[in-house]
Structures are given as structure tokens and as C-alpha cells.
Amino acid sequence: MKFCVLASGSSGNCIYIESKGTRVLVDAGISRKSVQERLAQIGVGLDAIAGLCITHDHSDHTAGIPVLTGRHRLPLYATYGTSTTVESNAKKHFEWNLFEAGCAFGIGALTFEAFTVPHDAGDPVGFVVSDGERRLGIATDMGEVPDMVAHHLKGCHALILEFNHDRDLLLNSSRPWMVKQRILGRRGHLSNVQACDLLRCIAGDQLRTLFLAHLSEECNTPALARGCAAEVLRDCGLAGTTQLCLHQWPGPVLDV
Ligand SMILES: [Zn+2]
Ligand SMILES: [Zn+2]
């Protein structure tokens, strides 16, 4: 299995995954044009994409849906709560393949296990994507880490985890107090420290790739996120075997 993070952060999220001839996207928070251009840079045509799986209804994960599903007829996968909120925000009806958090569904060679994450959206989920041999865990946009989320993410060969903010940078930022409270809340976003606690609990010997995702531009830095993640990998004896990556574009296509 391979993946490429086409976009990550509050200005848009989109992940490309492929294995055994099946190609999918998780989230489409950037324009159809950007998705198409970025896929082309890694040699993939939009017509080859078998499905678009949505984690939750926020626009940084859904903005590209109308054009991608309209003109390009990409099959859409989401929970009922996500589907209804996306439709009411877009004031438009879409064709959905609905799944439930806690259940698995398949697209070609890939199996998606969806699990509930605590976030201020309709019915938000994270995914573990498997091709029967390798497992890729995706968990961004959550305010805290319930035991069940950590349980799902154990045993992954690659992880895309949210390292949203440094708590001190957020508290000292110019953001309104309401926004700070939302981000720090139980349905907000993970701090570097929270993400590291999660990583410490789920990192196993099989982990080869760790991607630090959804970094806040204003309230985090790549050096801070990378520094604390690297410390956890060192403590877990994985510093020599797990590759640490952050979003940049053009980004590499990574092995799971
Ligand atoms: Zn987001
Ligand atoms: Zn969100």
C-alpha cells in the first residue's frame, strides 16, 4: 500500500491511497483543480479514483465535493451525520454510500474500518485502511483520545496523526478566546503533547511511517511537532526504523 498527503491543515485536507490497483481519496478539502493537479504530479488521473471517503463535514475536508462528485462522478462515502451536514451546507443533494462508525466497508482491494472521534462535527470518524497485509491509520481533527481510538490505531504500519498546535503558542496567539476554547476543548484539535501521548500508546515495532498532519500555521511549527514526535520514537526504540514526515508539496508518495 502507498499513500500521499496531497494537502493537510486548516486550508484543506486530502489523502491519496493506493493498493493492488485500487485508488481512493480520503477527504477533499481543496478544489477539484488542485486535487487533479496534485494527483497528476504523482502520475494518477482523477478517473482512476474509485471512491472519496469523508472523515467529517468541515469545509477543510469537504470543499471539493460538489465538483468532484458532479462532473467526475466520484463515489462518495460518509456517515449519515456527515452526509446530511454536507448537503445542508452545500444546499445540494449528493449520492452517498453510507457507512456507520464502528463498522467496516470495502472499496476494491481496500477495507476501511471507521471509528468515532470526538470533534465538533456531525458524526466524525477516523479510519484504519487495510489491504489485508498492511494497515494505515488516519486520525486528525479530534479534541481528545478515547481508549477506543487508541485501540483501533494499534498495529498500524503507517500513521497519519494530527499534531495541531502547541498549547503555549495557541494560548499566546492573537486568536479570539472563543476560538482558543474550541480548539482546546474535548471536541477540538489535538495538541503536540496529546498527539505524543497517543503515539506512545500505539507505536509498535511494525510502524514504518509516521506523518504529522493538520499542523496549525499560526500555533505550531514543524520543528516543535517533529521534535516531540522524534522523542517518542526514540523512547519506543523506533528512531532508526520509523520515517517521520510532515506535509509539504510536492509531497512524496510513501510506503505503508
Ligand atoms: Zn480539519
Ligand atoms: Zn474539523
Side-chain angles (χ1 to χ4, degrees):
M1 191 175 359
K2 292 179 186 300
F3 73 97
C4 182
V5 177
L6 304 181
S8 182
S10 56
S11 53
N13 295 274
C14 187
I15 303 166
Y16 167 76
I17 304 166
E18 69 165 61
S19 182
K20 301 177 180 172
T22 300
R23 298 173 176 84
V24 297
L25 296 175
V26 170
D27 288 332
I30 51 177
S31 69
R32 189 274 307 166
K33 187 166 174 277
S34 297
V35 173
Q36 197 162 24
E37 282 173 2
R38 291 179 182 206
L39 282 176
Q41 286 185 49
I42 56 169
V44 178
L46 203 43
D47 296 345
I49 303 296
L52 168 56
C53 303
I54 304 298
T55 58
H56 66 292
D57 53 61
H58 289 162
S59 64
D60 58 320
H61 298 258
T62 59
I65 287 178
V67 180
L68 285 167
T69 58
R71 194 185 317 167
H72 293 276
R73 301 203 160 275
L74 268 189
L76 254 184
Y77 294 77
T79 60
Y80 177 74
T82 296
S83 72
T84 52
T85 314
V86 167
E87 289 192 349
S88 75
N89 289 345
K91 298 184 177 52
K92 211 173 159 196
H93 172 71
F94 303 106
E95 293 296 324
W96 298 93
N97 298 277
L98 295 178
F99 62 81
E100 282 181 47
C103 296
F105 61 96
I107 304 177
L110 297 174
T111 302
F112 284 73
E113 290 168 35
F115 52 89
T116 295
V117 294
H119 192 52
D120 54 355
D123 183 8
V125 295
F127 293 117
V128 171
V129 188
S130 166
D131 65 356
E133 290 161 27
R134 315 287 284 181
R135 286 160 58 83
L136 165 64
I138 302 172
T140 67
D141 299 71
M142 54 184 180
E144 60 180 3
V145 184
D147 290 346
M148 194 50 77
V149 169
H151 169 78
H152 277 285
L153 292 170
K154 278 183 183 158
C156 284
H157 302 87
L159 289 168
I160 299 173
L161 290 188
E162 171 172 58
F163 278 67
N164 181 257
H165 59 272
D166 173 88
R167 198 180 151 85
D168 290 335
L169 283 185
L170 175 64
L171 286 170
N172 294 317
S173 72
S174 60
R175 299 195 158 180
W177 178 240
M178 285 282 288
V179 176
K180 291 180 186 176
Q181 267 191 319
R182 188 208 143 229
I183 295 170
L184 290 169
R186 298 172 74 179
R187 282 153 50 90
H189 288 277
L190 283 190
S191 70
N192 291 342
V193 170
Q194 287 174 299
C196 281
D197 288 345
L198 169 61
L199 179 61
R200 208 176 283 279
C201 160
I202 60 175
D205 291 341
Q206 74 295 328
L207 182 64
R208 289 290 169 271
T209 309
L210 170 64
F211 193 101
L212 314 185
H214 219 302
L215 266 70
S216 162
E217 278 177 31
E218 192 188 347
C219 304
N220 207 352
T221 69
L224 281 173
R226 185 183 278 277
C228 63
E231 192 182 314
V232 176
L233 292 181
R234 255 195 322 274
D235 293 350
C236 297
L238 298 171
T241 50
T242 303
Q243 183 186 9
L244 230 177
C245 314
L246 282 99
H247 178 63
Q248 58 189 46
W249 189 258
V253 179
L254 298 160
D255 286 318
V256 174

